[in-house]
Amino acid sequence: MYLGQWLYFPDKNLQILLDLIKDSSLLCFNMSLYSFGTKPISCHAWNKDHTQLAISTNDHTVQIYQKDGNEWKKIHELAEHNGNITGIDWAPNSNRIVTCAVDRNAYVWSLKDGVWKPTLVLLRINRAATCVKWSPLENKFAVGSGAQSISVCYFEEENDWWLSKHIKKSIKSTILSLDWHPNNVLLAAGSCDFQCRVYSAYVKEIEDKPSSTPWGTKMPFGEILFEKGESGGWVHGVCFSPSGDCLAWVSHSSTVCVADAAKEKQVTQLKIEFLPFLSILYVSEDNLIAAGHDCSLCHFQYVDVDNLQFVSKLGMAKGSLKGNQSAMQHFRNLDKKATTDADDTGLETLHQNSISQLRIFHGEKSNGAKFSSIGLDGALVIWDFEVPK
């Protein structure tokens, strides 16, 4: 196993690195960890060739970094919002960035003469925007919000502006997560009303009538094609499989669910013993990675209906480091702190705080892609995942 460049070397992470090198059972054979300071990273996005990275450190700005050798150098700062950024997405082909924030606004950024120029999007919402996602064809994007609605935005050539249509059907609370189906029409949404839904986001003004899918045949704008809320918790993350036939989501009730459209939309639910996940990502048609408050990544495999398996944790030291303290250290802790705990209170994971988001870094969902994770510890980790045979 080869471990990539490490740019962040506190003693705890060095010990974890040594333990990881000894642990050949990990499926992740290459990882690189980078630190962007102590502020939490709330969201991030990559450009097409993965040489530039856009992040927001829980404030009103977006910082764009350029890869320079083994370092990331800040080259731009986008500062049009006046509230904390909640979502960033970077369209790979058109090279446009879309951002949304708690100021109830969204901007589409275009690079002109070396400067990023913003264009305001008419969202028409009265609550904070919470997440944003470009469609696969990059001709529209969706914005979730606290206004119990989803804004599907598209560009109107005649008036030279971005307009939005609202999906409101059955939504009773804040939208927390979004993901597009590969057909560019269906849109999955996770909400604070404990529901995961699939909507039609067909915009007749800019696209042809869609063909039928296992999720449904009639797809007028805003139509609900799937709705489920068995897990009883906020739905933090949603993700379609590479084929679009399956939809996975993670909830605050510490559950992972998969709906299989090819099997009459049957839902398989797995209750886990870890802290709730915040993000989930397909890395092949039947392998998923989830991460969140547990500060580590978990690998799951969907085999069939009622057969969703937890495989392993990634980025963990093989054993507990507390068990490695000497007898002398044990009695020193008793004497100084009236406890047997070691002086080091860090975690035995690469991320030292909750993981807020997972994203594809290189490749596609279908072929064991490289993916990245960001956390509230100000760290970014790039993982090279080897899909099990």
Side-chain angles (χ1 to χ4, degrees):
M1 181 178 68
Y2 167 77
L3 293 178
Q5 179 68 37
W6 276 58
L7 301 182
Y8 181 49
F9 263 114
D11 293 341
K12 184 71 176 182
N13 288 68
L14 180 58
Q15 180 62 58
I16 296 169
L17 175 60
L18 295 175
D19 284 352
L20 285 170
I21 292 173
K22 296 175 184 177
D23 186 1
S24 59
S25 65
L26 292 177
L27 291 172
C28 191
F29 61 85
N30 186 9
M31 60 190 78
S32 306
L33 186 147
Y34 306 94
S35 176
F36 290 87
T38 57
K39 288 185 177 181
I41 304 176
S42 54
C43 47
H44 75 305
W46 299 95
N47 71 339
K48 184 175 182 178
D49 62 4
H50 326 109
T51 58
Q52 293 185 10
L53 166 69
I55 65 171
S56 180
T57 52
N58 202 35
D59 58 18
H60 70 284
T61 65
V62 174
Q63 301 162 29
I64 298 180
Y65 289 84
Q66 174 85 42
K67 188 69 179 294
D68 184 11
N70 292 327
E71 297 182 355
W72 292 94
K73 289 189 176 180
K74 183 177 172 181
I75 57 173
H76 297 286
E77 182 172 284
L78 315 184
E80 195 70 20
H81 288 283
N82 56 24
N84 284 10
I85 304 289
T86 54
I88 306 171
D89 203 13
W90 200 327
N93 297 315
S94 60
N95 197 37
R96 293 179 299 194
I97 297 174
V98 62
T99 59
C100 67
V102 299
D103 60 5
R104 309 189 304 277
N105 290 324
Y107 290 95
V108 174
W109 302 80
S110 301
L111 186 62
K112 298 178 181 178
D113 300 323
V115 179
W116 286 97
K117 301 289 187 180
T119 302
L120 179 65
V121 182
L122 301 176
L123 291 180
R124 299 182 293 116
I125 58 176
N126 58 6
R127 295 290 187 273
T130 54
C131 51
V132 64
K133 192 84 171 179
W134 280 107
S135 69
L137 296 182
E138 302 175 14
N139 59 346
K140 56 187 176 180
F141 59 87
V143 180
S145 73
Q148 301 180 18
S149 67
I150 303 168
S151 300
V152 179
C153 308
Y154 63 98
F155 190 74
E156 188 180 68
E157 297 282 354
E158 183 179 349
N159 293 310
D160 193 31
W161 61 11
W162 288 89
L163 291 180
S164 64
K165 287 186 170 186
H166 286 174
I167 296 175
K168 295 184 176 181
K169 194 171 184 178
S170 297
I171 302 174
K172 298 179 178 62
S173 192
T174 301
I175 299 295
L176 295 178
S177 53
L178 297 166
D179 194 43
W180 287 92
H181 189 276
N183 72 353
N184 203 66
V185 173
L186 302 185
L187 180 66
S191 171
C192 283
D193 61 9
F194 305 169
Q195 301 292 314
C196 179
R197 302 179 178 92
V198 174
Y199 289 98
S200 168
Y202 164 57
V203 180
K204 63 181 180 180
E205 289 85 352
I206 62 170
E207 51 194 344
D208 297 331
K209 187 176 180 179
S211 56
S212 62
T213 73
W215 295 98
T217 54
K218 295 182 179 180
M219 289 179 275
F221 181 84
E223 182 73 12
I224 297 181
L225 303 175
F226 173 80
E227 182 176 20
K228 210 70 174 179
E230 293 179 346
S231 60
W234 294 354
V235 180
H236 288 295
V238 294
C239 188
F240 275 110
S241 65
S243 67
D245 287 348
C246 290
L247 173 67
W249 68 92
V250 288
S251 303
H252 201 75
S253 56
S254 293
T255 54
V256 180
C257 300
V258 175
D260 195 335
K263 303 288 180 63
E264 299 180 344
K265 304 178 186 177
Q266 293 185 67
V267 176
T268 301
Q269 178 176 306
L270 179 64
K271 186 79 173 178
I272 55 175
E273 61 182 6
F274 313 124
L275 294 177
F277 295 132
L278 297 175
S279 186
I280 189 165
L281 187 68
Y282 270 96
V283 291
S284 75
E285 188 60 37
D286 53 6
N287 287 277
L288 305 101
I289 302 294
H293 291 300
D294 213 54
C295 308
S296 61
L297 276 63
C298 290
H299 173 210
F300 296 90
Q301 188 170 42
Y302 176 71
V303 181
D304 205 343
V305 174
D306 294 328
N307 191 359
L308 176 61
Q309 301 173 1
F310 167 69
V311 179
S312 66
K313 278 195 172 187
L314 306 179
M316 291 285 296
K318 191 167 186 179
S320 173
L321 298 182
K322 290 183 180 179
N324 296 334
Q325 62 176 313
S326 65
M328 179 66 73
Q329 185 62 51
H330 176 89
F331 287 108
R332 280 177 181 168
N333 290 333
L334 275 176
D335 180 48
K336 290 181 179 179
K337 301 186 298 181
T339 178
T340 59
D341 289 343
D343 292 332
D344 193 349
T345 58
L347 303 176
E348 284 112 31
T349 56
L350 296 186
H351 283 286
Q352 292 294 293
N353 207 328
S354 298
I355 297 171
S356 50
Q357 190 182 37
L358 299 173
R359 267 196 181 276
I360 293 292
F361 171 71
H362 181 66
E364 302 293 337
K365 289 180 183 178
S366 59
N367 60 3
K370 287 185 178 181
F371 60 91
S372 58
S373 61
I374 56 170
L376 303 186
D377 54 355
L380 176 143
V381 181
I382 297 173
W383 309 80
D384 195 344
F385 185 79
E386 183 179 7
V387 176
K389 303 296 183 183

